[in-house]
Amino acid sequence: MTVTVTGLVRRFGAATALDGVSFALAEGEFAALLGPSGSGKSTLLRILAGLEGSEAGEVRIAGRSMAGVPARARNIGVVFQNYALFRHMTIFENVAFGLRVRPRAARPDRAETARRVRELLQLVQIPELERRYPDQVSGGQRQRVALARALAIEPHLLLLDEPFGALDALVRRDVRRWLRGLHDRLGLTTLLVTHDQEEAMELADRVAVMERGRVVQFDPPAALLAAPATPFVAGFIGHAARLEGEVRAGVLRFGSLPLPPLRAALPDGPATAFLRPGAVVAEALAEAPGGAPPAAIELLRVTAEGERRAVLTLGGVTLEARLAPGSEARAARGAPCRLHIAGAQVFGAGGGRAEARPLRAAPVL
Amino acid sequence: MPGSRLPPLPRRALLAAPALLAAAPARAQAARELLNVSYDPTRELYRDYNAGFAKAWQARTGQAVRVNTSHGGSGRQARSVIDGLAADVVTLALAYDVDAIAERGLIARDWITRLPHNSAPYTSTITFLVRQGNPKGIRDWGDLVKPGIGVITPNPKTSGGARWNYLAAWAWALRQPGGDDRAAEEFLGRLYRNVPVLDTGARGSTTSFVQRGQGDVLLAWENEAHLALQEFAGAKVEIVTPSLSILAEPSVAVVDRNAERRGTRDLAEAYLQGLYAPEGQALAAKHFYRPRDAALLAAHAALFPAMELVTVDGAFGGWGEAQRRHFADGGVFDQLYKPGR
Amino acid sequence: MSERPGIADPAWVRALLAGAALLVGLLLLALPLAVVFAEALRRGWGVATAALADPDTLSAIRLTLLVAAITVPVNLVGGLAAAWCIAKHDFPGRRLLTTLIELPFSVSPVISGLVFVLLFGLQGWFGPWLQARDIQIVFALPGLVLATLFVTFPFVARTVLPLMQEQGRTEEEAAATLGASGWQVFRRVTLPNVQWALLSGVLLCNARAMGEFGAVSVVSGHIRGQTNTVPLHVEILYNEYQFAGAFAVAALLALLGLATLAAKTALERLTGRRLGEGTGDAA
Amino acid sequence: MSAGTLPLPTRGVRVRAIPGFGLSLGITLLWLGLIVLLPLATLLVRPWELGLAGVWDSVTEPRVLAALRLSFGAALLAAAIDLPLGLLLAWAITRLRFPGRGLLDAAIDLPFALPTAVAGIALTALLAPNGWLGALLAAAFGWRIAFTPWGIVAALVFVGLPFVARTVEPVLRDTGPEAEEAAATLGASRPQTLARVVLPALWPALLAGFALAFARAVGEYGSVIFIAGNMPLVSEIAPLLIVVRLEQFDYAGAAAVGLAMLLLAFPVLLGLNLLQRALRRGRA
């Protein structure tokens, strides 16, 4: 089903949780709502589910306005943050709940209920657990129960509220891939709420980044990286380091910091640059060129992929840099180095954005 | 200043709880102490009498004396003495309760002959208290069993006064034409079917009748009836004297074992003898007990109308017999008492 | 603007429920209390204060305070020891011990008094032996204390034990690995964690100790000015037709109880906030 | 003594990680033994002075049977009445916002704090046919509460109310709205949610509260004797019968009634306990 949200506003006392949110989901799309805690994403999800009211704005699902439609009539599957499983029911009973509370006319009979529950438990790969109670299974299993329970009502839309928060890192990655696979098979329109950008980038077709009650950008993951719409997105996505500089005549300089100037198509004035770790290269030197060293490696770390990275502090900002090929042997804690920048996202004071490039082709790349 | 003195704790109590020594009161006074264990309706009488006795004793011997009292249902009080309540004298509702203590060896068996008038310095009887104007027209025992009459009397199993009520009714029924044990039992059965509230003690019954508005007639000690008239000035009740009643002889005795142990025999005996002295008799009359002193009784004829009074010994062969036959578990009372509903 | 429209009941249902709850509170809880105060003041302040200033009343108050002052610490120590031993250690019979501690709750107060008469009364097991040594237990302070101890026995253990169990043993185990002795573990680790629950248990224990009637009535002997506690004194005044006085003393007891409640509520508010600070607002 | 025969944990040696076990167990056993077990032992031993037949006759006397029936019946009824009332109060103070909520919260503990004798005379003054409420009920419906078994039930409802309310309250607070929200998203109506999600989660606590209220009510004395009317076979409670027997110097008979009360209360409480555990099965 398609979902259209227009101009949603929600306040809690003086605080504004949603400040005019608008977006649309296409049929069968897997979208993620990404934002730091307090950005209003959970409130948005609760309004969609009918668990929360809004002061202004409209939610349409499959073209139909949801105004005045209570949660129980919306047919939206929700997987809650802590799963909210019914502790006094077995896993079977939990999954069957949505079928058993249907109006008599629409209620499947006992055998049909059992068949559908078993089918769902098969689907989420825990058929052997049906007689257990929620407190008797692991976190990952509970999450599958919550999903099966939400799917049992054959929802138009599936909402997932930080569903991986309670899982440990290893399980989380497995369950994530499994969930995406499941979505691809079922084709259900799905909205995932998360504060974990990797999770959002890996799972979702499109990611809506939320900042202080607004959706500031709603794009495929690659577009978020390539063309962040605001400084907030640029900083939030991809662990970028934020550095202040000044543009003069199309060239960005970082004052006294030992960074090379960049070409940036922006009007003159102060500007903010976001440097992603992969875009900075440190070339370790045998000795400091002409007196004081321009920059010094503070420590070296190894990434999960086995690559060595140099960590430096410039003007109070921590920066991570790749090591230039050929200078790796010289890289050591405290070693002087020269920095090269492959590219950066730059935002001017007037709000303009530019992709910054080196003045010369970098010799070390 | 009444608040300046901690409750004097028995020394023995402190021995048993050494931890309390810190909290123990300084035994400032060397006053001798006497404990009178009595029953409910004598509170007012002994409050006055104790004060007078202490004064008289001090005048006579120079010793300060403090008389403590304990009140409750007569049976409960006897039980407490049996269980070790350190009474020097008991002043209970009936001889049976004193006998019970004597049976456990705390009082000499012949206690009843040690003081004049069966060791009962004052008497009383059972009368009726009815609502003002006597709207239900209750004049005598026979009226109590009429349908629709609510009779308030305590439980004879727990209240000494209630046993007097019961025996008085029984005695009346025996005197009626064709009166025999069977008829009396039948009569009492009907009477107790008219009882809506069976309190555990005489005071509870009076409260139920006067304060809570229960029932149409209260069977009460004569002294309690007068006291109720006095205490509940606005209560709108009046006394009805039945044609026949029972001579209630509240018994007093020195608890020999305790008096010996505590060295209070002289005090205890003087205390009880004082009840027979003119001052004691006057106080009894003041608190609506019929004094033994004939002249005093005659002087209060308005309060204590003459009526035919049977005695327990005469009509029931003594308390032991009456108790065994009527009030013991499985006795006549248990058999005739079948609540109406 | 409703807070949770998804599950909120219609306004009229909420109003109805709130109204019903207030009605129950008023009829069942507030009205009896109101009666106590209304009856106490029916004949004016003078009568009420005179009843309170009576020497017998004052000695009853002192006795009641004394009994509570002995009872509460004993049950505090015993209850704490029991809770600690059950919650922090493994031994066979823990369940049985827990049940035994709760036992006095299901025993009628009258029985609680009766058993001490059966034990220490003159006709009881130890009665003759005690009298031969001139030791008075029943119908004296020790009897009152014992009966009250019995009745208030489970209060402290019951309030503290669930909390101790919930908190688990890791902190104590950590303390043990750091070299603390049993007493140090208890004093520095367990006790601070349960102190508020403990205080609340003590307050309840104290309220019951001061208000106990049935058990104390059996062992008191009802000697005016000596073995009459305040609740028994209320009964005596009531039986003397001094209703205003009886209710005045009853009102005093009720006030003591209310003060206890106020202290407990204040405590819960305080601890509630403390807990809130710790967990933060996750929502 | 029996510790040696118990199977030890398979890991072999039992380790006492936390010190202080011996002392605390010692204090506990001393405290429990002196104050509770020794006195209660008399209750187990004393009745047999009558002999087995004597004890049997003593507790099967019609008056005793009626009193036991009344005590247990009134206690069960009162606890059953406390169940919805306590739930209502707990619900109101945890889930609703209205003026007077804080006051109501505090008032729930009143029966804990009010001495039973005070409660007894207050309720009698309130419910007697000429009392504030009693006069009203008598005039409006012709109901008599005080001095009938209903008076006993009223007193026991008062005494037991906080037990139910205070046992349910934390669970209600703890449960929070998540489960109810989940039920709503799954299509459950409000009544369905209450019946299938909220109440089942509360049952163990409700039962525990019921058991506590019942246990307290069965033995209650102070608040009942003033209001009961104390008619043998009709409104005489078992604890009063103990007092009555004592006053007849029948120690063994009094102890026999006490023993009968204990023995009767035990299976009821045990049953409630087992039911609670059955309902809690599977939950941590």
Side-chain angles (χ1 to χ4, degrees):
Chain A
M1 299 291 152
T2 57
V3 177
T4 321
V5 171
T6 20
L8 275 188
V9 176
R10 179 73 168 103
R11 294 188 189 86
F12 293 102
T16 302
L18 296 182
D19 190 9
V21 167
S22 302
F23 66 89
L25 299 182
E27 171 84 48
E29 186 175 19
F30 196 133
L33 267 178
L34 177 65
S37 59
S39 60
K41 53 191 193 305
S42 278
T43 306
L44 178 53
L45 178 132
R46 293 175 60 84
I47 292 174
L48 284 175
L51 296 171
E52 199 87 58
S54 59
E55 273 99 6
E58 191 189 40
V59 174
R60 285 179 173 275
I61 295 179
R64 186 169 150 237
S65 168
M66 287 289 113
V69 180
R72 64 186 183 88
R74 291 195 180 191
N75 205 28
I76 295 176
V78 183
V79 173
F80 288 81
Q81 195 164 0
N82 296 309
Y83 311 137
L85 295 180
F86 305 127
R87 298 201 306 169
H88 60 283
M89 296 181 197
T90 61
I91 282 166
F92 182 95
E93 287 166 337
N94 261 283
V95 177
F97 183 86
L99 299 173
R100 289 180 173 166
V101 296
R102 282 192 184 170
R104 201 170 292 278
R107 197 183 300 163
D109 65 19
R110 189 181 277 270
E112 172 65 7
T113 304
R115 194 188 61 74
R116 305 234 315 246
V117 170
R118 302 230 158 86
E119 197 178 280
L120 281 162
L121 291 176
Q122 286 285 353
L123 183 72
V124 298
Q125 298 165 2
I126 47 168
E128 71 283 4
L129 298 180
E130 64 172 61
R131 282 153 176 247
R132 303 266 196 97
Y133 284 88
D135 288 353
Q136 295 170 328
V137 304
S138 73
Q141 289 166 334
R142 254 178 255 170
Q143 203 239 15
R144 288 169 192 237
V145 177
L147 189 63
R149 184 177 73 174
L151 292 175
I153 60 169
E154 295 169 326
H156 299 319
L157 170 67
L158 186 61
L159 301 177
L160 306 165
D161 190 3
E162 306 259 9
F164 309 107
L167 306 180
D168 64 60
L170 223 65
V171 179
R172 193 185 289 208
R173 211 176 49 196
D174 283 349
V175 174
R176 230 191 259 166
R177 299 211 167 124
W178 168 83
L179 181 67
R180 178 69 216 202
L182 195 67
H183 172 264
D184 292 346
R185 269 197 285 152
L186 299 175
L188 191 59
T189 311
T190 303
L191 183 63
L192 166 78
V193 162
T194 180
H195 66 273
D196 181 338
Q197 49 166 308
E198 274 173 49
E199 198 169 285
M201 307 287 257
E202 182 179 331
L203 269 170
D205 301 323
R206 282 198 296 161
V207 177
V209 182
M210 288 199 69
E211 181 196 1
R212 275 178 277 149
R214 292 168 183 273
V215 172
V216 289
Q217 191 170 8
F218 191 16
D219 276 319
L224 290 180
L225 283 170
T230 67
F232 171 78
V233 177
F236 190 66
I237 306 282
H239 307 290
R242 174 194 172 115
L243 289 164
E244 303 298 332
E246 179 130 11
V247 176
R248 191 128 306 164
V251 175
L252 170 68
R253 287 172 207 281
F254 295 96
S256 62
L257 295 179
L259 286 167
L262 298 170
R263 197 191 309 280
L266 283 171
D268 288 2
T272 309
F274 292 90
L275 305 176
R276 268 198 291 279
V280 185
V281 178
E283 181 188 1
L285 307 170
E287 58 186 64
I297 296 173
E298 240 171 58
L299 51 89
L300 290 160
R301 78 171 193 98
V302 181
T303 65
E305 287 75 30
E307 188 189 347
R308 291 214 300 165
R309 296 253 173 107
V311 178
L312 309 96
T313 306
L314 294 183
V317 177
T318 304
L319 206 69
E320 207 174 282
R322 280 160 44 208
L323 287 171
S327 76
E328 283 176 350
R330 286 190 298 273
R333 198 180 273 199
C337 63
R338 185 182 297 136
L339 294 173
H340 308 273
I341 298 174
Q345 300 290 341
V346 185
F347 292 85
R353 184 186 73 86
E355 185 88 36
R357 294 273 154 228
L359 289 178
R360 297 174 295 273
V364 286
L365 293 174
Chain B
M1 177 67 207
S4 61
R5 170 172 51 80
L6 278 163
L9 299 162
R11 226 177 345 182
R12 296 167 298 282
L14 296 175
L15 276 176
L20 306 184
L21 278 171
R27 290 178 56 84
Q29 298 163 302
R32 297 186 65 188
E33 294 202 21
L34 188 75
L35 176 58
N36 172 10
V37 170
S38 192
Y39 64 115
D40 270 327
T42 62
R43 291 176 206 273
E44 293 76 10
L45 166 63
Y46 282 110
R47 192 162 43 208
D48 282 2
Y49 178 71
N50 290 347
F53 173 75
K55 205 177 286 169
W57 182 264
Q58 174 127 40
R60 205 168 84 206
T61 65
Q63 289 174 336
V65 64
R66 175 180 153 91
V67 183
N68 299 307
T69 52
S70 163
H71 296 274
S74 187
R76 177 171 86 182
Q77 295 295 80
R79 196 270 299 166
S80 295
V81 174
I82 288 170
D83 276 332
L85 181 58
D88 301 292
V89 299
V90 288
T91 53
L92 296 177
L94 30 98
Y96 174 75
D97 288 329
V98 185
D99 278 337
I101 304 173
E103 252 172 59
R104 269 84 178 171
L106 279 82
I107 299 177
R109 292 262 177 185
D110 65 344
W111 65 271
I112 202 157
T113 60
R114 289 194 300 196
L115 287 167
H117 300 294
N118 289 337
S119 286
Y122 41 80
T123 68
S124 189
T125 185
I126 302 300
T127 57
F128 301 165
L129 205 58
V130 298
R131 306 281 169 211
Q132 197 164 51
N134 199 355
K136 298 275 173 110
I138 295 161
R139 305 264 165 254
D140 207 350
W141 293 97
D143 297 323
L144 301 183
V145 298
K146 287 181 181 161
I149 301 289
V151 181
I152 304 296
T153 173
N155 185 344
K157 294 273 210 176
T158 55
S159 158
R163 282 176 224 170
W164 292 112
N165 296 350
Y166 172 102
L167 293 178
W170 186 280
W172 179 85
L174 280 184
R175 294 287 185 89
Q176 300 314 298
D180 57 8
D181 281 359
R182 176 179 295 250
E185 194 175 327
E186 215 270 323
F187 174 75
L188 275 146
R190 284 167 63 200
L191 191 154
Y192 277 100
R193 265 194 289 285
N194 275 352
V195 176
V197 181
L198 204 61
D199 286 282
T200 49
R203 285 283 159 106
S205 282
T206 311
T207 305
S208 292
F209 179 75
V210 181
Q211 193 77 352
R212 306 272 163 251
Q214 296 291 298
D216 304 301
V217 53
L218 172 76
L219 307 188
W221 296 92
E222 187 179 49
N223 58 301
E224 281 285 282
H226 283 292
L227 181 68
L229 283 187
Q230 185 184 26
E231 291 278 328
F232 301 99
K236 302 196 172 85
V237 288
E238 60 186 52
I239 293 175
V240 168
T241 308
S243 65
L244 174 145
S245 194
I246 196 160
L247 180 68
E249 294 183 305
S251 307
V252 303
V254 175
V255 183
D256 298 290
R257 174 119 57 98
N258 291 344
E260 295 299 342
R261 208 159 46 86
R262 291 154 56 96
T264 52
R265 177 169 287 280
D266 56 334
L267 201 58
E269 280 174 350
Y271 183 80
L272 293 186
Q273 275 151 7
L275 290 168
Y276 290 90
E279 298 80 14
Q281 291 285 297
L283 269 181
K286 181 186 161 205
H287 289 285
F288 313 113
Y289 284 95
R290 294 185 176 215
R292 289 291 192 178
D293 183 321
L296 199 60
L297 184 63
H300 289 86
L303 268 182
F304 306 121
M307 57 171 122
E308 187 182 356
L309 295 173
V310 299
T311 64
V312 177
D313 287 343
F316 298 93
W319 265 111
E321 174 64 16
Q323 177 74 25
R324 196 184 49 70
R325 176 157 170 234
H326 291 279
F327 306 121
D329 276 356
V332 177
F333 175 74
D334 278 349
Q335 284 162 28
L336 65 83
Y337 185 82
K338 305 235 170 28
R341 281 135 300 212
Chain C
M1 180 178 84
S2 55
E3 283 182 36
R4 296 182 186 278
I7 56 157
D9 299 301
W12 65 270
V13 172
R14 298 162 71 91
L16 197 72
L17 282 174
L22 280 174
L23 190 71
V24 169
L26 189 73
L27 283 185
L28 232 60
L29 300 169
L31 213 50
L33 188 70
V35 166
V36 172
F37 287 97
E39 292 282 332
L41 297 177
R42 175 175 277 190
R43 312 248 302 269
W45 276 99
V47 175
T49 49
L52 292 177
D54 182 82
D56 286 342
T57 307
L58 292 175
S59 83
I61 292 173
R62 269 193 301 269
L63 180 62
T64 294
L65 293 178
L66 181 61
V67 168
I70 300 167
T71 308
V72 174
V74 172
N75 276 342
L76 172 69
V77 171
L80 266 179
W84 151 272
C85 157
I86 291 170
K88 307 291 180 190
H89 300 278
D90 276 315
F91 58 95
R94 279 168 60 208
R95 271 201 113 73
L96 178 71
L97 197 57
T98 317
T99 314
L100 286 178
I101 286 171
E102 299 222 343
L103 195 59
F105 265 153
S106 46
V107 172
S108 170
V110 172
I111 299 180
S112 319
L114 167 68
V115 290
F116 289 104
V117 171
L118 293 181
L119 262 189
F120 301 120
L122 201 49
Q123 314 299 316
W125 287 353
F126 302 122
W129 187 88
L130 288 170
Q131 195 177 46
R133 277 146 197 84
D134 222 9
I135 299 170
Q136 185 101 26
I137 301 238
V138 284
F139 311 119
L141 183 66
L144 296 174
V145 168
L146 281 172
T148 311
L149 272 176
F150 188 100
V151 171
T152 59
F153 188 85
F155 278 97
V156 172
R158 245 194 83 91
T159 36
V160 175
L161 180 59
L163 187 63
M164 278 196 191
Q165 278 174 332
E166 194 187 300
Q167 287 173 347
R169 301 177 189 177
T170 47
E171 289 185 40
E172 282 79 9
E173 284 167 354
T177 63
L178 295 169
S181 70
W183 168 248
Q184 287 170 321
V185 173
F186 174 77
R187 169 76 191 76
R188 292 169 178 268
V189 179
T190 311
L191 202 55
N193 277 335
V194 298
Q195 54 186 342
W196 300 107
L198 182 67
L199 202 51
S200 148
V202 163
L203 287 173
L204 280 178
C205 179
N206 185 52
R208 185 73 199 267
M210 292 194 300
E212 178 50 30
F213 175 76
V216 166
S217 165
V218 177
V219 297
S220 150
H222 304 270
I223 307 171
R224 270 177 175 255
Q226 290 194 357
T227 62
N228 258 336
T229 63
V230 179
L232 297 177
H233 192 60
V234 171
E235 190 203 17
I236 284 190
L237 290 175
Y238 192 74
N239 274 340
E240 285 182 4
Y241 311 134
Q242 300 185 36
F243 297 109
F247 277 105
V249 178
L252 179 77
L253 264 182
L255 279 178
L256 277 176
L258 287 178
T260 305
L261 277 193
K264 189 170 150 283
T265 309
L267 222 110
E268 278 160 2
R269 292 265 157 87
L270 191 71
T271 52
R273 210 176 298 135
R274 272 159 186 271
L275 290 173
E277 277 169 19
T279 48
D281 43 340
Chain D
M1 3 142 225
S2 62
T5 62
L6 276 168
L8 285 168
T10 42
R11 48 196 143 99
V13 186
R14 190 186 285 265
V15 174
R16 246 182 238 310
I18 306 166
F21 171 67
L23 180 65
S24 63
L25 186 68
I27 295 177
T28 305
L29 292 182
L30 186 73
W31 174 66
L32 185 71
L34 283 183
I35 297 172
V36 174
L37 297 185
L38 175 67
L40 280 184
T42 63
L43 203 61
L44 296 178
V45 174
R46 219 35 211 269
W48 308 109
E49 290 170 3
L50 299 172
L52 189 62
V55 172
W56 181 252
D57 289 348
S58 167
V59 296
T60 53
E61 203 188 293
R63 211 168 137 208
V64 177
L65 288 181
L68 288 173
R69 210 176 302 131
L70 175 67
S71 271
F72 281 81
L76 284 173
L77 181 61
I81 295 173
D82 280 331
L83 221 46
L85 293 183
L87 179 58
L88 173 69
L89 291 180
W91 186 277
I93 59 169
T94 54
R95 294 293 176 88
L96 303 175
R97 271 164 212 292
F98 53 92
R101 190 182 60 131
L103 222 57
L104 186 67
D105 188 2
I108 288 176
D109 283 327
L110 258 181
F112 277 153
L114 215 56
T116 53
V118 174
I121 57 175
L123 286 170
T124 311
L126 193 63
L127 293 170
N130 61 359
W132 293 3
L133 216 55
L136 217 68
L137 292 174
F141 310 103
W143 289 354
R144 266 172 50 98
I145 305 283
F147 312 121
T148 71
W150 296 111
I152 301 176
V153 174
L156 297 184
V157 166
F158 175 79
V159 170
L161 189 57
F163 287 98
V164 176
R166 287 299 185 217
T167 324
V168 177
E169 184 199 330
V171 184
L172 215 47
R173 240 183 247 289
D174 230 45
T175 317
E178 289 88 9
E180 290 163 58
E181 289 180 352
T185 65
L186 293 168
S189 67
R190 192 66 184 145
Q192 280 173 324
T193 306
L194 290 177
R196 288 165 176 254
V197 175
V198 179
L199 265 184
L202 291 178
W203 268 123
L206 279 170
L207 268 180
F210 180 89
L212 281 174
F214 165 78
R216 175 71 198 270
V218 156
E220 181 55 26
Y221 177 73
S223 62
V224 173
I225 47 158
F226 292 97
I227 202 172
N230 305 321
M231 308 283 291
L233 299 168
V234 175
S235 56
E236 188 177 58
I237 55 167
L240 175 63
L241 213 57
I242 295 177
V243 174
V244 169
R245 290 237 163 130
L246 269 185
E247 287 174 11
Q248 293 168 9
F249 319 118
D250 182 5
Y251 296 89
V257 176
L259 184 62
M261 286 186 69
L262 267 190
L263 293 183
L264 280 173
F266 188 70
V268 177
L269 293 174
L270 187 73
L272 286 170
N273 213 329
L274 289 179
L275 193 58
Q276 240 184 88
R277 255 205 247 165
L279 284 171
R280 280 213 174 105
R281 87 210 119 108
R283 298 191 220 171

